[in-house]
Amino acid sequence: EVLLVESGGDLVQPGGSLRLSCAASGFTFSTYTVSWVRQAPGKGLEWVSAISGSGVSTYYADSVKGRFTISRDNSKNTLYLQMNTLRAEDTAVYYCAKDISAFDYWGQGTLVTVS
Amino acid sequence: EIVLTQSPATLSLSPGERATLSCRASQSVGSYLAWYQQKPGQAPRLLIYDASKRATGIPARFSGSGSGTDFTLTISSLEPEDFAVYYCQQRSDWPITFGQGTRLDIK
């Protein structure tokens, strides 16, 4: 069974930093691109960042470029999102999602509140 | 970036009726379009990928069609559990983008 479990969400002040983690199981983690997708309260879905299976290629939404860094540790089957210089508009539930043609598996999300 | 525009914003129908949801892209995305269903307090669930392929475990009443810039998600006969928010998403080019969603309400 594929499982993605996010953690690390918290209340943080504007300008602060936070690191999210996503623990994966049930599939060969190192062979798949994975993404972070967020959803502000009462709003739609926004793709944030993606990283290739090897970790060589990374991609970012313009809204987070230069502030967020995606990374992965394939030996630990874990995805990370380092978030710096946080803004109120970064407040959202952050999901990690496995990517094969589309986001076929999602975690339950972790809430980040910037206030 | 590729902008996806979903219509209508809200659709009010009764169980047993047919639902037709639209997604229009600002430029061609080929067939690289997916549809998701999201219920309150839950993560999105993949329904359709590559415009017309049903994801694992998705009932046959869900179907997708289209290519290029115009896409449709059809639910042939609504079940009570189908009332939710639906999003389209393109993966033709970076950044990946989502539509703003269509809320499917019980009439």
Side-chain angles (χ1 to χ4, degrees):
Chain A
E1 180 192 8
V2 172
L3 278 179
L4 297 166
V5 180
E6 302 94 338
S7 61
D10 204 348
L11 171 64
V12 61
Q13 292 184 341
S17 297
L18 208 57
R19 189 177 83 155
L20 305 183
S21 300
C22 172
S25 61
F27 64 103
T28 307
F29 182 67
S30 62
T31 64
Y32 290 94
T33 295
V34 281
S35 281
W36 290 98
V37 178
R38 68 185 180 183
Q39 187 168 37
K43 302 299 183 182
L45 300 170
E46 180 188 15
W47 172 81
V48 172
S49 183
I51 186 167
S52 63
S54 64
V56 169
S57 299
T58 58
Y59 308 87
Y60 297 93
D62 285 346
S63 58
V64 306
K65 201 172 293 182
R67 300 188 299 123
F68 290 11
T69 302
I70 192 171
S71 62
R72 65 192 297 161
D73 186 336
N74 287 341
S75 69
K76 295 182 178 179
N77 288 350
T78 302
L79 172 71
Y80 303 101
L81 186 68
Q82 177 66 43
M83 303 186 296
N84 298 331
T85 320
L86 282 161
R87 306 167 179 166
E89 54 265 35
D90 296 319
T91 294
V93 173
Y94 284 73
Y95 297 100
C96 61
K98 172 178 167 285
D99 188 348
I100 178 168
S101 298
F103 299 128
D104 59 343
Y105 287 94
W106 298 64
Q108 84 290 347
T110 188
L111 176 62
V112 173
T113 303
V114 184
S115 177
Chain B
E1 76 176 41
I2 297 174
V3 176
L4 299 179
T5 302
Q6 292 187 240
S7 61
T10 303
L11 185 59
S12 297
L13 294 170
S14 300
E17 290 192 293
R18 181 184 187 91
T20 303
L21 287 67
S22 175
C23 178
R24 177 164 290 179
S26 59
Q27 64 190 75
S28 177
V29 299
S31 294
Y32 295 117
L33 191 103
W35 291 92
Y36 301 85
Q37 176 193 68
Q38 188 178 32
K39 297 179 180 179
Q42 295 184 16
R45 173 194 182 197
L46 176 65
L47 301 174
I48 301 288
Y49 66 97
D50 291 349
S52 61
K53 299 175 182 176
R54 266 191 306 277
T56 303
I58 301 304
R61 64 181 182 272
F62 291 93
S63 63
S65 63
S67 66
T69 60
D70 289 293
F71 300 86
T72 301
L73 174 69
T74 302
I75 311 171
S76 60
S77 179
L78 285 165
E79 297 288 340
E81 62 267 27
D82 298 336
F83 293 92
V85 179
Y86 291 83
Y87 295 95
C88 58
Q89 171 245 323
Q90 67 80 24
R91 58 177 290 110
S92 172
D93 196 11
W94 301 99
I96 291 170
T97 51
F98 289 88
Q100 82 281 12
T102 290
R103 180 178 303 278
L104 180 54
D105 285 342
I106 299 178
K107 188 173 182 180

